Amino acid sequence: MEIVEMIAMVCHEANRAYCKAIGDDSQPAWDDAPEWQKESAIKGVSFRYSNPTATPENMHESWLEEKRNTGWKYGAVKNPEMKEHPCFIPYSDLPADQKIKDRLFSSVFDALMHG
């Protein structure tokens, strides 16, 4: 496993643990995650690596762009089959508990890349 994928796995697992802590059990473990979800995390790591000063808002906007480019749209409930996601909205409109996921992803990335 290459470094980008390893960091993506750790970021995914940190977000999964956070989601579980707030009552969201919809995130599968990395080993059980569908390929599209792993690719999304890998793209997040690659974006953050290429943009070292990216803010959590920049991370979300990059995620939105990646989702838009792969056919996703807004939906009140996350539905991978329909490619719908409730976070398919501007960062400023996200609930606070969802904004934390972008901060967490960036913090885990920084810890792994910069100690």
Side-chain angles (χ1 to χ4, degrees), residues 43-106:
K43 287 178 182 175
V45 168
S46 295
F47 173 80
R48 188 64 172 71
Y49 183 78
S50 298
N51 299 276
T53 60
T55 65
E57 182 173 0
N58 299 144
M59 293 292 299
H60 181 73
E61 294 303 322
S62 174
W63 175 86
L64 264 180
E65 182 179 339
E66 184 261 330
K67 290 292 183 220
R68 190 175 298 114
N69 290 340
T70 55
W72 286 70
K73 60 189 177 294
Y74 174 82
V77 176
K78 184 177 175 181
N79 183 332
E81 291 77 31
M82 299 293 295
K83 292 189 170 186
E84 294 177 343
H85 202 295
C87 294
F88 196 85
I89 57 177
Y91 184 81
S92 60
D93 295 338
L94 284 174
D97 63 342
Q98 294 302 310
K99 289 179 179 179
I100 289 171
K101 292 190 323 189
D102 294 304
R103 290 197 307 269
L104 180 59
F105 193 101
S106 285

